[in-house]
Amino acid sequence: LRGCLSDPGRVPLDWWNQLSVAAPRSLHGDWLVLPCRHCGPRPARSHHCRSCDRCILRMDHHCPWMDNCVGLQNHKFFLQCCLYGASAAA
């Protein structure tokens, strides 16, 4: 249940203004900035989810059973759900 309700690690809409980077595809410290066709600039290792219509940090996939993306902040809860489900089925 917690995997369904927790935030998957969405990229804040104003993160680009906080970095003050001039050009996309540039290296700024540890941040590699890439373009997103829908959201604008996005950090490296983030992907755009068509179902959620947002860029998600370290996105794994959009889970239809949880109706949520599996990303940086809820990956642990997704794995727990899979393990509990597998152990209950065994």
Side-chain angles (χ1 to χ4, degrees):
L1 181 66
R2 194 161 177 194
C4 301
L5 301 176
S6 64
D7 180 38
R10 297 174 187 214
V11 176
L13 293 175
D14 63 342
W15 80 275
W16 178 253
N17 296 331
Q18 297 171 4
L19 284 182
S20 70
V21 176
R25 284 202 173 274
S26 63
L27 188 64
H28 179 70
D30 292 335
W31 292 87
L32 177 64
V33 181
L34 302 170
C36 175
R37 286 181 271 161
H38 307 282
C39 299
R42 63 177 175 88
R45 297 187 67 191
S46 65
H47 299 282
H48 187 83
C49 177
R50 287 182 280 164
S51 301
C52 297
D53 197 32
R54 289 290 301 268
C55 283
I56 308 295
L57 292 169
R58 242 178 63 197
M59 180 178 167
D60 188 1
H61 68 283
H62 184 88
C63 182
W65 294 287
M66 290 182 8
D67 193 34
N68 198 4
C69 285
V70 178
L72 178 68
Q73 295 179 358
N74 67 350
H75 198 261
K76 173 187 169 184
F77 306 126
F78 174 74
L79 290 176
Q80 285 177 345
C81 180
C82 290
L83 289 174
Y84 294 154
S87 66

